[in-house]
Amino acid sequence: MLLRYRGSEGMLAWAFHRVSGVAIWAFILLHVFDIWLVGVNPDLYNELLSVYASPIGRVVESLLGAALLYHALNGMRVIIMDFWPSMTRYHKQIWYVNWVLFAVIGLPILVQIMAPAFGLAAPFTFGGQ
Amino acid sequence: MAPRVTRTGTVRPQGGGWELAIWYLMRLTGLGLFVTALAHFIIVHFIYDPSLQTAKWITDERWGNIAWRTVDWLMLTFVVFHAFMGLRSVVQDYTKGGTRTVLTMALYLGAFVVFAMGTIAVATLNFPVKP
């Protein structure tokens, strides 16, 4: 199904939704496990954290963020079409608006995540430490 | 008139029952995750750098009060349902017969294990000892 490519926006939107969903599911398995470690083996958790905070870890986090943001925005598109079927007429336009939102929301977050990996910023905290 | 074909997602099941309930719950938990999961990602990747989030930081700061633990447990509830039922849709699209049954049961078991591990983590981690 995924590989029988028809090439329209609706098909692409669906395929990206499925791939990002499965990727996020896989991360949830890892993430619940690492948080479980905080209680039972904090040292191992801290070791895992240094992998997450490494430059490669930051690239993977950025990809995770992209999957999450796409899935969230396209999920809203699905809900709009499911509950207001007349909006299905504009499914392509909603998808394009989603990509604009994806860039506007995603780029600042991408910069914030990746900057420490390039030595462009100290590990940040807006919340005080 | 509702169109016969939706452009993405699963077509609303006809005739009620469990499948319709799951269909609605996928959308409801999706809305819940739009708020909780995106906020969570912004907090732990935009507001606080991951390198600061040691086990001590989680105990003392992030999960230092019961309100945040409640929010995160709610997010866990949403995500376990949404993620595993989403995978169930994928399994139903690509498999049939015995394979489908086995994989679906494995998903239900996996969902239970992940929900239990997450609940144990959020409920049993010690609160910080305030001086």
Side-chain angles (χ1 to χ4, degrees):
Chain A
M1 218 176 281
L2 199 58
L3 296 174
R4 258 175 259 157
Y5 178 61
R6 285 191 291 135
S8 70
E9 286 88 342
M11 178 71 181
L12 276 179
W14 174 85
F16 288 0
H17 199 73
R18 174 148 290 191
V19 171
S20 59
V22 174
I24 296 164
W25 169 81
F27 173 73
I28 296 298
L29 301 182
L30 173 68
H31 189 36
V32 169
F33 174 73
D34 67 49
I35 293 303
W36 180 74
L37 283 179
V38 173
V40 298
N41 193 341
D43 292 337
L44 186 57
Y45 167 81
N46 286 339
E47 247 176 76
L48 195 55
L49 180 68
S50 63
V51 178
Y52 289 165
S54 71
I56 292 170
R58 287 171 190 274
V59 172
V60 179
E61 277 160 25
S62 302
L63 290 171
L64 171 71
L68 190 69
L69 187 55
Y70 176 82
H71 200 89
L73 290 170
N74 192 58
M76 289 300 122
R77 173 174 165 276
V78 171
I79 288 175
I80 287 170
M81 295 189 297
D82 279 339
F83 291 97
W84 293 275
S86 59
M87 292 298 286
T88 305
R89 186 193 306 262
Y90 304 107
H91 77 99
K92 289 182 187 178
Q93 285 84 345
I94 303 171
W95 201 54
Y96 296 143
V97 169
N98 274 355
W99 281 116
V100 173
L101 291 173
F102 181 86
V104 169
I105 299 166
L107 284 176
I109 300 174
L110 178 70
V111 170
Q112 184 84 317
I113 292 175
M114 289 312 298
F118 294 104
L120 295 173
F124 49 82
T125 168
F126 293 154
Q129 184 60 16
Chain B
M1 250 323 263
R4 300 288 298 167
V5 178
T6 58
R7 285 288 173 169
T8 57
T10 305
V11 180
R12 190 188 320 228
Q14 302 298 308
W18 278 115
E19 291 305 319
L20 185 64
I22 291 168
W23 187 89
Y24 274 107
L25 280 170
M26 279 305 276
R27 278 132 191 88
L28 200 63
T29 53
L31 284 172
L33 287 165
F34 190 89
V35 177
T36 56
L38 288 183
H40 175 74
F41 191 89
I42 286 168
I43 290 167
V44 298
H45 294 281
F46 191 77
I47 298 180
Y48 294 94
D49 192 81
S51 65
L52 305 169
Q53 298 169 27
T54 57
K56 183 170 161 40
W57 180 82
I58 293 176
T59 313
D60 291 357
E61 304 288 333
R62 185 82 182 90
W63 278 359
N65 66 71
I66 200 142
W68 275 116
R69 293 195 193 208
T70 308
V71 170
D72 282 356
W73 185 78
L74 203 60
M75 178 170 66
L76 175 78
T77 309
F78 291 157
V79 83
V80 168
F81 183 89
H82 195 91
F84 281 87
M85 283 304 178
L87 257 286
R88 174 178 166 272
S89 286
V90 176
V91 165
Q92 289 183 342
D93 278 349
Y94 302 118
T95 63
K96 56 186 177 187
T99 314
R100 178 190 283 190
T101 308
V102 168
L103 288 177
T104 305
M105 291 302 140
L107 281 174
Y108 291 157
L109 181 67
F112 176 79
V113 171
V114 169
F115 186 66
M117 279 175 77
T119 301
I120 289 167
V122 76
T124 64
L125 190 68
N126 287 332
F127 279 100
V129 181
K130 300 286 185 196

